[in-house]
Amino acid sequence: MNDFSQLEDQLRKLRPAQPSADLVARIERALDDEVSTPTAAVLPRERRFHFNWLSLGLGLAAAAALVLFAFIRLQQPLKKTPSVASTSPAPTTLTDQFVAAGLTQVVYHTRDEGLHFPNNSEQPMRRVRSQTRETFQWRNPKTGATLRISYAKENVSLIPVSGQ
Amino acid sequence: MQNVATDENWKTCFSQLAPGLVLFARQWTRSAADAEDVVQEAFVKFWRRHHDIGNRGLLYATVRSIALDFIRRDSRRARREATALSDVDPTVPPAFDIKDDSQRALVAALDLLPEEQREVLVMKIWNELTFAEIASALEISQNTAASRYRYALAALKKNLSAAL
């Protein structure tokens, strides 16, 4: 390295140009921006929170619409049954339609929210919040096709508590 | 969490490092204004996360990374840089306060160094980084960093003697 010591000294005598005077001020402003917005890490969470609720709401609305639609379709043949029965003696034509085949209700979470006095009631009520998933199933006996609709549901039950 | 002491800390740290950092960034940006933008972005990003400059290797790695991103970010800029680099001079001249002809010759010889040697030289001479810090910043071994430094000095010496 001794061969290069003189060259290194020459290089060290070269001074880099000074940065512009406002660079420090610019950095200060940028760091101040951070201080004034310390919620930077929180904001995306809030956005996610709203997004989840929106998705849940839309999902429930879609599920409700589907259930309503299916319910109306299932109700229609029942209403027409007398007229169909009077004009067509063959009840086998009904077999090419979806018929209700089952309903399952799974309670996957229950939380006891403690005692409450709803509407200034003197009697305490225990509030129990349960989350369930309901699944309706229809089946076409002729084709064997099945239609299944599943949606989440939240129930809040108020159970009277008897005092002693 | 922010206090005056911290505020003064970053200013003290930055004022010591700024000329060398801007010189380091200018290897990729060509323009002093762009280099300052890179240094600003890198320093703010680094300080927000670390609040000290104990890990200088990481600071220089941040500057290098942002400088490379800076070039890639704007395709027009990238094309312009590529065009400029494909011209007669394939290197980026560092910016120095030149006092005499010998220093001008030294800067001209620096310009002829390959980029990988010049960046090690800039970090070692004008930023006073250790080979361990240089190795950390460039993600190379310390031996490679030391070799590149020696090769840079040898090439510089050769370029200078050829110019005389």
Side-chain angles (χ1 to χ4, degrees):
Chain A
M1 291 297 286
N2 288 338
D3 291 347
F4 299 125
S5 58
Q6 192 182 352
L7 180 57
E8 285 176 305
D9 288 342
Q10 277 182 278
L11 288 169
R12 287 195 180 94
K13 283 177 188 167
L14 264 177
R15 302 313 307 162
Q18 288 296 315
S20 60
D22 70 331
L23 181 57
V24 172
R26 280 159 51 195
I27 290 175
E28 191 167 24
R29 277 198 300 274
L31 289 172
D32 282 348
D33 285 348
E34 178 217 12
V35 174
S36 63
T37 55
T39 55
V42 177
L43 287 174
R45 278 187 203 158
E46 279 190 348
R47 231 175 276 135
R48 271 205 305 274
F49 177 76
H50 287 304
F51 177 75
N52 282 343
W53 278 108
L54 184 64
S55 300
L56 183 63
L58 286 173
L60 284 174
L66 273 171
V67 168
L68 191 64
F69 178 71
F71 181 74
I72 290 168
R73 286 199 62 186
L74 284 170
Q75 288 294 96
Q76 279 176 344
L78 290 174
K79 286 177 183 171
K80 290 175 182 174
T81 301
S83 59
V84 170
S86 64
T87 54
S88 171
T92 52
T93 52
L94 291 174
T95 56
D96 195 15
Q97 291 180 347
F98 281 93
V99 293
L103 164 66
T104 56
Q105 188 177 44
V106 179
V107 180
Y108 60 89
H109 186 249
T110 303
R111 191 172 68 220
D112 186 342
E113 296 183 334
L115 296 177
H116 294 266
F117 292 83
N119 300 325
N120 299 322
S121 165
E122 289 184 359
Q123 187 184 12
M125 309 277 267
R126 183 172 295 283
R127 191 162 73 191
V128 178
R129 188 180 297 271
S130 59
Q131 283 151 338
T132 60
R133 176 163 287 276
E134 289 185 352
T135 305
F136 284 95
Q137 191 170 337
W138 292 270
R139 189 167 183 277
N140 187 325
K142 188 177 182 182
T143 62
T146 58
L147 172 66
R148 187 179 295 173
I149 293 173
S150 181
Y151 57 90
K153 191 174 159 186
E154 188 174 81
N155 290 323
V156 177
S157 308
L158 292 172
I159 302 166
V161 177
S162 59
Q164 292 184 359
Chain B
M1 293 294 286
Q2 298 294 318
N3 53 39
V4 175
T6 306
D7 182 52
E8 290 308 315
N9 281 344
W10 81 256
K11 283 184 182 173
T12 308
C13 294
F14 185 74
S15 62
Q16 290 166 359
L17 298 174
L21 280 174
V22 174
L23 176 68
F24 183 63
R26 278 202 66 176
Q27 294 180 103
W28 296 281
T29 61
R30 298 188 71 91
S31 131
D34 288 349
E36 288 186 4
D37 287 346
V38 167
V39 168
Q40 177 189 337
E41 189 179 338
F43 190 82
V44 168
K45 188 177 176 182
F46 183 85
W47 191 265
R48 279 176 180 172
R49 188 167 298 177
H50 301 282
H51 291 277
D52 68 60
I53 52 160
N55 191 344
R56 289 197 301 168
L58 192 56
L59 172 61
Y60 283 81
T62 307
V63 172
R64 189 172 188 267
S65 167
I66 288 176
L68 295 174
D69 282 348
F70 189 86
I71 293 171
R72 292 190 201 109
R73 205 179 295 159
D74 186 333
S75 59
R76 284 181 304 166
R77 174 181 297 277
R79 276 199 299 274
R80 200 163 59 240
E81 295 285 338
T83 307
L85 288 169
S86 66
D87 285 346
V88 180
D89 183 2
T91 59
V92 179
F96 294 96
D97 292 331
I98 298 171
K99 292 176 181 169
D100 53 37
D101 285 345
S102 67
Q103 287 196 337
R104 186 168 288 106
L106 199 53
V107 171
L110 272 171
D111 294 348
L112 299 176
L113 289 179
E115 186 179 311
E116 63 177 26
Q117 292 177 14
R118 193 178 56 244
E119 65 183 355
V120 171
L121 199 67
V122 167
M123 281 193 275
K124 182 72 180 164
I125 297 285
W126 293 286
N127 291 279
E128 298 177 345
L129 266 64
T130 63
F131 285 127
E133 289 171 327
I134 294 170
S136 161
L138 301 179
E139 296 180 335
I140 56 176
S141 72
Q142 287 190 44
N143 284 340
T144 304
S147 296
R148 286 183 187 176
Y149 179 70
R150 283 196 301 275
Y151 289 142
L153 290 175
L156 203 55
K157 197 170 184 178
K158 189 178 170 184
N159 291 342
L160 279 172
S161 56
L164 291 175

